Amino acid sequence: MIHYDQYRPTRYILVLLLFLGCGQLLSQTTDANALLGSWQFDSASSFAQRAEATKAVVEAHPEIQSKIMASYVGKSISFFENGDYQQQLGDGSNASGRWSTDGGSLLISTSDCSVYRFSFGITGDKLLLQTISDDPGYKSLVPNQYFTKIQ
């Protein structure tokens, strides 16, 4: 007869390793306080995740591609405790307004009264914003925006 008591330490070690291994997956947060600070857009990661159809359309129209690159490359966004945000695009233009969270959603209200909704996740110093739209026909040019915390 096999006595499983002799394997008890092994079971505890395996369970501990499982929790440690899954810890990285579970470390992503949607905590609003984690958004505070300044974030730099990661163009390489963000542009690499565009849909093939979107890439083809953009590449077929150099004027659109240059406008997108000028806006996104070098873009940064800052979230402040008082609910204000400020964004500087790569072309030097600025946008500002208010931000708030609702569960895992980030709501950005611009000064011209437009409201944008994103799902967001933060892992370490990395932020992922994913565009959410109620319009089934809406296609974002950069649906997954990756950022790195700079302050």
Side-chain angles (χ1 to χ4, degrees):
M1 180 186 270
I2 298 175
H3 292 283
Y4 291 104
D5 288 339
Q6 68 186 8
Y7 298 108
R8 185 174 296 193
T10 304
R11 282 189 290 173
Y12 289 125
I13 290 171
L14 289 174
V15 169
L16 178 64
L17 290 174
L18 178 66
F19 280 116
L20 291 175
C22 291
Q24 185 68 5
L25 295 174
L26 299 174
S27 67
Q28 186 174 25
T29 183
T30 55
D31 179 17
N33 289 329
L35 279 169
L36 296 175
S38 297
W39 301 85
Q40 183 72 44
F41 182 73
D42 178 351
S43 57
S45 297
S46 300
F47 291 148
Q49 296 221 339
R50 291 185 296 177
E52 290 301 320
T54 302
K55 286 180 191 178
V57 168
V58 170
E59 289 171 3
H61 298 88
E63 67 283 357
I64 294 173
Q65 185 171 11
S66 64
K67 188 173 184 176
I68 291 169
M69 296 301 280
S71 294
Y72 282 96
V73 175
K75 169 178 154 174
S76 64
I77 189 166
S78 298
F79 299 99
F80 302 100
E81 277 188 63
N82 66 358
D84 289 341
Y85 87 92
Q86 192 167 40
Q87 178 174 253
Q88 182 169 19
L89 298 180
D91 63 7
S93 61
N94 291 298
S96 61
R98 304 282 298 161
W99 71 277
S100 62
T101 59
D102 180 16
S105 292
L106 168 65
L107 301 172
I108 293 185
S109 303
T110 63
S111 56
D112 67 357
C113 299
S114 297
V115 178
Y116 299 95
R117 190 168 53 140
F118 302 91
S119 65
F120 75 97
I122 299 171
T123 304
D125 67 344
K126 304 293 183 197
L127 166 65
L128 169 59
L129 298 180
Q130 294 177 303
T131 305
I132 299 172
S133 175
D134 294 330
D135 178 359
Y138 176 79
K139 298 284 187 219
S140 175
L141 291 174
V142 188
N144 298 321
Q145 297 184 45
Y146 292 89
F147 294 82
T148 303
K149 192 157 197 174
I150 52 177
Q151 295 185 346

